Amino acid sequence: AQLHRRIKLCDDVLGRLEGTLSSFQSDLGSISSEIRSLQQQSLAMNVKLRNRKQVEEKLANFIDGISVPESLVEGISESEVNEMYLDYLLTLRKKLAYLKSDAVADASSLAEVEPELEKLRLRAVTRVKEFLIEKILQLGRPKTNFQILQQNVLLKFKFFSEFLRDHAPTAFQEMVLCYSDTMSKLYSQYMRVCVRHSERLMIMPNSKADTLVETETSGFSKLLWGAAKRSQAEKEASFGLGERGSVLQEIGQNAIVFHSESKKHSFESL
């Protein structure tokens, strides 16, 4: 009888344990369902968040590309044309390029923004062209080191020329013609000075009266070319190589500085 009671007591304990385990199993199944539901909700929220970020990014790009801030208008219209002006031109170029893209092809706000950007483009073109032409004309001023001006100004502001080329071809051609005309006159002036100095330093070359043999010169020829004043020996020496062959040993040496040189040189040396 005592064994029977113990067996029954064990059965009761095992029954309660089974019930507890069954309840725990049921709770685990419910928790598993809730976890799957939370996972599905999390995935859905991630998709919504990703879509929202994409929409926000596109909307931000659209607003940034199509808006015309007051700071840009004042910068293009009133700011001094210098290195800081490059930032305004870069922003304007970006907005002009955005208007031509497919992203705003059907935008209703395009009709309102495009005229304002066109006004800014015209204003920027005018100011940039005037700035470049002014700097180009400075190249031709007396005692101006045009090479320094080219490197420190024109080369530094080369984006100005690119802006005119892309957004105002006519103004760009005017600037190019101004530069070509200025540099042509400048180099022509330098060449005339160079030729004048070289003539001053050049040993007198042979004249038409120098011949290997003595010739009779008519009175008309003497009047036209002048009478020969050099002796026959001097005439014959002028046809020899003389010191002109030393030019081959002077190759690679310092160039002759015309304005500070006083020694005369042969035609070959010059």
Side-chain angles (χ1 to χ4, degrees):
Q2 187 178 0
L3 180 60
H4 178 70
R5 285 195 301 271
R6 289 181 176 178
I7 292 174
K8 186 177 179 182
L9 181 60
C10 289
D11 289 340
D12 293 340
V13 173
L14 290 175
R16 289 194 301 272
L17 182 59
E18 183 180 4
T20 302
L21 291 175
S22 298
S23 176
F24 183 69
Q25 184 179 9
S26 177
D27 291 342
L28 286 178
S30 177
I31 292 174
S32 178
S33 299
E34 291 179 1
I35 291 176
R36 284 195 297 270
S37 176
L38 290 174
Q39 288 178 341
Q40 293 176 356
Q41 292 179 12
S42 176
L43 291 175
M45 291 179 64
N46 286 334
V47 172
K48 291 180 180 179
L49 179 61
R50 186 166 58 251
N51 293 338
R52 182 175 180 179
K53 288 183 177 180
Q54 291 178 354
V55 171
E56 288 179 351
E57 183 179 358
K58 291 182 179 180
L59 183 60
N61 292 336
F62 176 80
I63 294 175
D64 180 67
I66 205 170
S67 62
V68 183
E70 185 177 354
S71 59
L72 179 62
V73 177
E74 293 179 355
I76 293 294
S77 304
E78 301 176 5
S79 295
E80 182 181 358
V81 181
N82 50 25
E83 294 182 5
M84 296 297 297
Y85 202 78
L86 287 172
D87 296 333
Y88 297 118
L89 284 184
L90 287 171
T91 302
L92 179 60
R93 184 181 70 168
K94 181 179 178 181
K95 292 183 179 297
L96 292 172
Y98 188 76
L99 289 183
K100 297 179 181 180
S101 64
D102 298 334
V104 295
D106 300 329
S108 58
S109 56
L110 183 63
E112 300 178 4
V113 177
E114 192 171 14
E116 298 300 324
L117 286 178
E118 178 64 17
K119 293 179 182 178
L120 283 182
R121 183 191 69 83
L122 294 176
R123 179 59 176 165
V125 166
T126 301
R127 301 196 65 192
V128 167
K129 185 183 75 170
E130 292 176 352
F131 173 81
L132 290 177
I133 290 181
E134 179 184 357
K135 297 302 180 183
I136 289 173
L137 293 179
Q138 290 179 4
L139 297 174
R141 292 179 181 177
K143 299 181 180 180
T144 299
N145 191 332
F146 70 92
Q147 293 180 337
I148 298 298
L149 189 60
Q150 285 175 324
Q151 296 175 0
N152 295 346
V153 178
L154 297 182
L155 186 60
K156 182 171 64 175
F157 293 102
K158 64 178 182 178
F159 177 74
F160 286 2
S161 300
E162 296 176 359
F163 182 83
L164 292 181
R165 181 195 61 194
D166 297 336
H167 300 285
T170 302
F172 177 73
Q173 289 298 326
E174 293 178 6
M175 186 269 296
V176 170
L177 290 176
C178 179
Y179 181 80
S180 300
D181 183 64
T182 301
M183 295 306 299
S184 176
K185 293 179 180 178
L186 185 62
Y187 282 123
S188 177
Q189 178 183 356
Y190 273 96
M191 288 303 300
R192 286 196 297 268
V193 173
C194 181
V195 170
R196 191 162 58 248
H197 282 292
S198 63
E199 290 177 347
R200 179 178 61 84
L201 298 176
M202 184 170 59
I203 297 175
M204 185 62 64
N206 301 335
S207 66
K208 293 187 177 182
D210 293 335
T211 58
L212 289 175
V213 296
E214 189 69 28
T215 58
E216 294 183 0
T217 306
S218 64
F220 178 76
S221 298
K222 290 182 180 180
L223 180 63
L224 183 61
W225 303 111
K229 298 181 180 180
R230 303 172 67 186
S231 65
Q232 185 65 21
E234 292 176 335
K235 293 180 182 180
E236 294 176 356
S238 64
F239 290 96
L241 184 61
E243 298 181 356
R244 290 178 292 180
S246 61
V247 175
L248 298 177
Q249 281 72 40
E250 298 174 359
I251 296 177
Q253 296 184 6
N254 296 333
I256 299 174
V257 182
F258 289 135
H259 66 275
S260 60
E261 183 73 16
S262 59
K263 178 183 176 182
K264 290 186 177 294
H265 298 268
S266 64
F267 175 79
E268 289 77 10
S269 297
L270 297 175

